[in-house]
Amino acid sequence: MPDRMSLLDRHVGFVRALRESGVPVSVAEGLDAAQALRVIELTDRESLRAAYAATLVKKPAYRPGFDVLFDLWFPAATTGMYAERSDKAINQETATVEELRDHLAGLLTGGGDPELRAFAQAMVERFGRQPAGPGRQNWFSYSVMRALSPETLMARILREVLAGQERGGLAEKTARQRVTSGIRRFEEAVATDVRRRIAEDSGIERIARSAVRPPLDQIDFLRVTKADLARLRREVHPLARRLAARLTIKHRKGRRGRLDFRRTMRASLQSGGVPLTTHFRPPRPHKPELVVLCDTSDSVSSFAHFTLLLTYALREQFTKVRAFGFVDTVDEITKFFVPGADVVEAMTRLASEADMVRFGRTNYGHALEGFAARYATAIGPKTSLLILGDARSNYQPPALDVLKSLADRARHAYWLNPEPKRQWDTGDSVAGDYGTIVPMYECRNVAQLTAFIETLA
């Protein structure tokens, strides 16, 4: 990376980094951002941030990643090769750790963001550096937080702030919220400065690729964490409503309601009593029925967690929802979707209570045959069949004829596959064969699930 970067270089690099992190930025939006830079005060960093955010960020979920990348490409300060290090925030040579903690306690209750950022930079300089060989060094946030332990300042601050006031009241609650917010801002400031220093040593592009998680709607279902699942709950319910609406529309398409005899006879008066035009009642609103057939094997366990979320949300949108899980045999798991059920707890119960495992190796053919033998009546002319799995059957017979008979019985049938399409039909995958019977869609994240729902319209 060059010692000095022009504003154009930073703009181009910043836009490229946003795209690589999963934030969609079109060419037109990049040009809009460049135009916005002409009408703001470039020395005002927050105005610069606001201009970029207004032109490039389209969803709240994209804002955290945007802020991390903005701080990398447009840092509040520079050190190392770009400028002399400044330790004006606090005297690092003479201050003890306890004095530093006292200073931090004051900032957490009454300091502004500029003072907190300056202190965080000084603390990274003092505690965050660790040698990594001749002429090289590493930077870490955890060593700063371990040295200062800001979370342990809460009791001291409350004693000073309350000063004889009754504990447990509004004053204590307000103070706790203020300190907690201050600690969070200090942690973010430390992490931001550590990333800045690493970027100066190793290059912005390198740290940018590892510093930003994909937006929530682009997190791969096969790699979601428990925290991600909690956030996905908020995304799933509106998607379930849209999916139900799309399937209902397709159910009604091309169909008319019963003959409206009164309107038809009234219209015939204009043609001498001859009913040249017939009128029909609008079709009655109908919630379709849904059958979900879900692979719950270890290879797609994270995807199975998400499908449980989706199935639970879909129960509120359909007249009837029945869910079935399988590994090498199949069992109905509808009973696990009680209101308020925890997804992780439900998966634990499935593993111990549901009869889905015979030998422990995924066998789609045997599972389909078992479903047809035990639960074929679950599918009828009003049913939408939704299959969720990677179509990897450990080289066992796929039972294509059984799948075709099930799909023919259903009103609609769709298959969502969590694997990248380029991996279909590799190894033991029979995705191509199954896809000739049931339309198969790549569904690795919420964005692709949204796109699938839109195709149903």
Side-chain angles (χ1 to χ4, degrees), residues 41-207:
E41 179 57 55
L42 294 177
T43 57
D44 185 346
R45 185 166 174 269
E46 291 310 310
S47 294
L48 182 64
R49 185 194 299 268
Y52 271 117
T55 51
L56 302 181
V57 179
K58 294 178 281 295
K59 296 176 63 176
Y62 298 152
R63 186 59 192 256
F66 166 87
D67 284 330
V68 169
L69 292 174
F70 180 87
D71 289 333
L72 287 174
W73 287 93
F74 302 94
T78 57
T79 54
M81 66 182 76
Y82 299 123
E84 295 297 325
R85 298 187 187 276
S86 174
D87 300 332
K88 296 180 181 179
I90 194 168
N91 190 333
Q92 298 186 63
E93 299 297 330
T94 59
T96 65
V97 172
E98 194 58 34
E99 289 172 340
L100 294 174
R101 282 167 51 82
D102 289 339
H103 185 72
L104 176 58
L107 292 176
L108 293 178
T109 55
D113 282 343
E115 294 86 355
L116 199 62
R117 285 196 299 267
F119 181 72
Q121 292 172 12
M123 294 302 96
V124 171
E125 175 70 20
R126 176 164 177 174
F127 299 111
R129 178 178 13 200
Q130 294 186 13
R136 299 180 60 246
Q137 54 195 2
N138 290 332
W139 299 92
F140 298 95
S141 297
Y142 80 88
S143 56
V144 179
M145 307 309 295
R146 183 180 59 188
L148 298 178
S149 300
E151 67 280 355
T152 64
L153 295 172
M154 180 69 76
R156 177 197 306 183
I157 294 173
L158 288 178
R159 284 197 304 270
E160 296 174 355
V161 171
L162 297 179
Q165 299 183 54
E166 183 181 357
R167 300 297 294 267
L170 180 60
E172 180 178 351
K173 182 178 180 181
T174 303
R176 284 185 179 276
Q177 291 177 343
R178 186 189 311 160
V179 174
T180 301
S181 175
I183 292 174
R184 185 169 59 251
R185 288 186 292 118
F186 177 69
E187 291 174 344
E188 292 172 353
V190 169
T192 297
D193 195 60
V194 166
R195 285 193 296 264
R196 174 179 64 82
R197 292 173 188 267
I198 296 175
E200 291 179 358
D201 293 341
S202 305
I204 298 177
E205 293 85 354
R206 181 178 177 182
I207 185 63

Side-chain angles (χ1 to χ4, degrees), residues 361-362 392-398 426-430:
R361 296 174 63 86
T362 310
R392 292 191 175 273
S393 195
N394 287 295
Y395 303 101
Q396 301 300 314
T426 62
D428 61 343
S429 171
V430 286

Side-chain angles (χ1 to χ4, degrees), residues 408-420:
D408 289 343
R409 290 170 59 91
R411 179 73 180 181
H412 315 290
Y414 305 99
W415 191 310
L416 302 184
N417 191 325
E419 281 197 337

Side-chain angles (χ1 to χ4, degrees), residues 152-286:
T152 64
L153 295 172
M154 180 69 76
R156 177 197 306 183
I157 294 173
L158 288 178
R159 284 197 304 270
E160 296 174 355
V161 171
L162 297 179
Q165 299 183 54
E166 183 181 357
R167 300 297 294 267
L170 180 60
E172 180 178 351
K173 182 178 180 181
T174 303
R176 284 185 179 276
Q177 291 177 343
R178 186 189 311 160
V179 174
T180 301
S181 175
I183 292 174
R184 185 169 59 251
R185 288 186 292 118
F186 177 69
E187 291 174 344
E188 292 172 353
V190 169
T192 297
D193 195 60
V194 166
R195 285 193 296 264
R196 174 179 64 82
R197 292 173 188 267
I198 296 175
E200 291 179 358
D201 293 341
S202 305
I204 298 177
E205 293 85 354
R206 181 178 177 182
I207 185 63
R209 284 192 290 269
S210 60
V212 181
R213 289 203 72 198
L216 183 62
D217 64 350
Q218 297 184 30
I219 295 177
D220 196 319
F221 289 144
L222 297 180
R223 294 173 176 81
V224 295
T225 64
K226 185 175 180 180
D228 293 329
L229 284 172
R231 296 163 60 204
L232 282 171
R233 288 180 187 271
R234 295 188 291 271
E235 299 286 333
V236 164
H237 283 276
L239 287 175
R241 288 193 293 270
R242 290 166 65 183
L243 176 58
R246 295 295 186 264
L247 292 176
T248 302
I249 291 171
K250 291 182 72 68
H251 184 79
R252 297 175 186 170
K253 186 175 180 181
R255 300 189 61 176
R256 295 181 295 185
R258 300 175 62 182
L259 176 69
D260 190 330
F261 184 76
R262 180 176 297 178
R263 288 183 61 199
T264 300
M265 294 306 298
R266 186 182 298 116
S268 69
L269 297 178
Q270 302 177 7
S271 54
V274 180
L276 298 178
T277 303
T278 54
H279 293 268
F280 296 86
R281 299 180 185 276
R284 296 178 61 184
H286 172 72

